[in-house]
Amino acid sequence: MTNTAKYIFVTGGVTSSLGKGIIAASLAKLLQAQGYRVTIQKLDPYINVDPGTLNPYEHGECYVTEDGAETDLDLGHYERFLNVPTSQANNVTTGRIYQSVIDKERRGEFLGKTVQVVPHITDEIKERVQILGNSGDYDIIITEIGGTVGDIESLPYIEAVRQLRWDLGDHNGIVIHLTLVPYLSAAGELKTKPTQHSVKTLMESGVQADILVCRTEHHLSTDLRKKLALFCNVREEAVIQSIDASTIYDVPNFMLKEGLDKVVLKKLNLKSTEPDIQKWNQFLKRLKNPKTEINIGLIGKYVELQDSYKSILEAIIHAGAENEVKVNVESIHSEYINKDNVSVKLEHLDGILVAPGFGERGIEGKIDAVQFVRENNIPFLGICLGMQMAVIEFARNVLGLTEANSTEMDPHTKYPVIDIMEEQKSITHMGGTMRLGSWNCDLKRESLVWDIYKSEHIKERHRHRYEFNSDYTERIKTAGMIPTGLNPDTGLVEIIEIPKHPWFVGVQYHPEYKSTVASPHPLFVAFVKAALNYNKKNRSARMAQN
Ligand code: GLN
């Protein structure tokens, strides 16, 4: 296959956290809305092979793709904006690059040559960048380079970009540089110097930025745009303002207004038309004009960092817009929930979501929370560890197996209602060894999920090691908790429900990874709707009392 795809490299300067992922996703959206087949790739300069082994406090959530890759959370934004699945090829880390080069060296593929950063590491980066372009599936590849220009770790990536631009030729590879234009309130001025320096740093590596996207809290004046253009060697039309947005979903429209898509297409020698973002704007309209508000509790142990539950929070936003309701998410730390305070902490909520997680910390609080919602008929969605906690709670408080637990928390528990699979027991490596990626699930008729998914066969993404222990299925079922989704190949329980409860669903998989703007996840939509109904019912009950 010849390389016909065009490449857009997105680099970042001045500081981290400027929102490169959102800019890349917004640009991709605008190009997709003009008929181009676009994908986005993230290159991460850290040495971990993937973010799967990283604590969520480090880089936020680990996003899982259909093919079971554990990836950077920016891939979640790409899928949510584009509604096109990504894969392992969309996320590459320095660790993965080095691992591959070292493996090649051990196989003797370098024929006795000294293996070096240039050309061997840079060649490997270039190859990884072009995998998606060479697939023939895409017209445009947007490659986001993690980190900030000038970082030691980023150097081989910037060098690879320099070479690629040269290899690809004019109009086939362009560079967008995202920088910060800070506002000094004492002087009442926006400052361009950090951007000038950052562009200069990039030039020291032989890379000239084609387009500047300037993150700012205030509008850039024409004079300031002119100044930036002059000092940074870019056309004035290529100075793009990226002003703070109240929601990330506004950014495609902001970029459209600034003409980012037009400059990009012009530089790539591609035709530009009016993007069709009607559907996107309908979503925005619903998002911004809610008819009412509800409160949902998100119970987890990484709640201090919002990015830890990024996909869940976004899936709730999509579901809120779908239901035309504003969902206030209250993050509640499970470590601080106990039997004495659970009702005070949760009674005002219209729905409770118990989050995924690993390890023992905070699990008793999750179990107390599940008991409270189960006994008080509050809508409940348990995801992965959240589902496992619901099973443990049920075994302890309904079946009377007070010592029930998961063998993850207590390897010697008398009642291992959640247990590790036989094939997982011999695994000693941590990276990439869980049940990962997309798995089939068959739904039982006459269940909530059957009504919700409107389909018998579904596929959802997983990331866990422990499972519902089928030794307990009969007892749990008889007591009123029903497995309503099973893996057709292994018989593993993927979904549990309590039919006597108005809305109680636990899923072993992660539905949040598949929710997008164009296609909000049905389970989240139904959960928010249940919370909305609960809220209405409570409100009318309160009104009747007054
Ligand atoms: N720790 C649990 C397991 O490994 C749940 C994982 C999760 O919530 N993603 O099975």
Side-chain angles (χ1 to χ4, degrees), residues 99-376:
Q99 192 178 48
S100 162
V101 170
I102 291 169
D103 285 349
K104 284 182 186 165
E105 186 272 333
R106 293 288 82 183
R107 290 196 300 268
E109 287 181 29
F110 295 114
L111 306 173
K113 288 260 178 239
T114 307
V115 181
Q116 294 178 295
V117 173
V118 184
H120 301 101
I121 294 298
T122 44
D123 277 354
E124 184 73 26
I125 296 172
K126 284 161 69 180
E127 198 182 311
R128 300 281 176 149
V129 167
Q130 292 180 97
I131 286 178
L132 291 163
N134 290 341
S135 70
D137 295 334
Y138 305 102
D139 306 312
I140 302 171
I141 317 295
I142 301 180
T143 299
E144 180 195 341
I145 295 162
T148 308
V149 165
D151 293 349
I152 293 174
E153 290 95 335
S154 303
L155 283 172
Y157 292 95
I158 303 295
E159 170 59 12
V161 169
R162 186 193 68 76
Q163 293 183 18
L164 269 169
R165 277 235 291 195
W166 189 252
D167 297 344
L168 294 163
D170 287 348
H171 306 299
N172 292 326
I174 60 166
V175 173
I176 296 179
H177 191 54
L178 179 64
T179 74
L180 176 71
V181 178
Y183 182 75
L184 284 192
S185 46
E189 260 182 73
L190 286 167
K191 306 307 276 182
T192 63
K193 203 64 106 191
T195 300
Q196 294 181 41
H197 280 295
S198 166
V199 169
K200 214 165 156 185
T201 309
L202 196 56
M203 280 177 85
E204 280 165 16
S205 300
V207 175
Q208 164 69 53
D210 295 286
I211 296 168
L212 295 181
V213 175
C214 307
R215 185 73 192 267
T216 172
E217 289 171 14
H218 296 269
H219 287 278
L220 305 184
S221 66
T222 312
D223 280 353
L224 194 130
R225 288 175 194 249
K226 279 200 165 82
K227 186 173 170 185
L228 278 170
L230 180 67
F231 288 138
C232 301
N233 289 341
V234 298
R235 304 236 168 267
E236 204 183 314
E237 61 177 15
V239 178
I240 304 290
Q241 156 186 301
S242 167
I243 202 147
D244 290 353
S246 60
T247 152
I248 54 169
Y249 299 107
D250 269 337
V251 180
N253 277 304
F254 285 12
M255 291 302 113
L256 178 66
K257 208 164 149 237
E258 286 286 307
L260 176 62
D261 56 319
K262 280 204 182 64
V263 208
V264 162
L265 290 169
K266 194 164 141 190
K267 291 205 178 286
L268 291 175
N269 241 352
L270 292 171
K271 212 173 84 208
S272 141
T273 52
E274 201 49 46
D276 178 7
I277 49 169
Q278 221 183 329
K279 271 208 162 141
W280 183 273
N281 287 338
Q282 280 164 5
F283 158 80
L284 270 182
K285 201 168 155 195
R286 283 195 301 274
L287 180 68
K288 293 187 171 185
N289 297 287
K291 293 192 173 130
T292 175
E293 284 185 32
I294 56 167
N295 300 309
I296 283 183
L298 170 63
I299 303 185
K301 69 170 176 179
Y302 312 110
V303 290
E304 301 88 343
L305 182 71
Q306 288 284 306
D307 274 358
S308 308
Y309 301 115
K310 194 81 208 160
S311 294
I312 292 179
L313 295 173
E314 297 304 324
I316 292 176
I317 290 175
H318 306 157
E322 191 71 10
N323 283 289
E324 295 179 277
V325 54
K326 177 167 188 269
V327 184
N328 303 311
V329 177
E330 196 178 310
S331 298
I332 303 168
H333 205 305
S334 56
E335 248 184 316
Y336 308 128
I337 298 177
N338 55 48
K339 284 202 173 11
D340 298 330
N341 66 17
V342 66
S343 92
V344 179
K345 282 193 184 274
L346 307 185
E347 66 189 352
H348 59 289
L349 297 164
D350 304 308
I352 303 275
L353 193 157
V354 177
F358 293 83
E360 204 184 347
R361 186 165 69 94
I363 71 143
E364 292 302 325
K366 287 186 173 175
I367 294 172
D368 291 339
V370 179
Q371 180 175 13
F372 182 79
V373 297
R374 183 178 56 76
E375 291 175 349
N376 290 283

Side-chain angles (χ1 to χ4, degrees), residues 356-359 383-385 388 408 463-466 508 510:
F358 293 83
I383 299 182
C384 209
L385 185 69
Q388 298 175 353
E408 178 181 8
R463 182 173 185 252
H464 57 101
R465 236 175 227 114
Y466 294 81
Q508 186 56 79
H510 291 261

Side-chain angles (χ1 to χ4, degrees), residues 374 390-404 415 417 468 471-481:
R374 183 178 56 76
V391 174
I392 294 171
E393 190 280 320
F394 196 82
R396 285 186 188 177
N397 300 320
V398 180
L399 294 184
L401 309 176
T402 43
E403 291 149 65
Y415 306 111
V417 290
F468 182 106
D471 290 352
Y472 292 87
T473 310
E474 279 318 308
R475 289 159 83 180
I476 286 180
K477 232 162 118 174
T478 314
M481 177 180 267

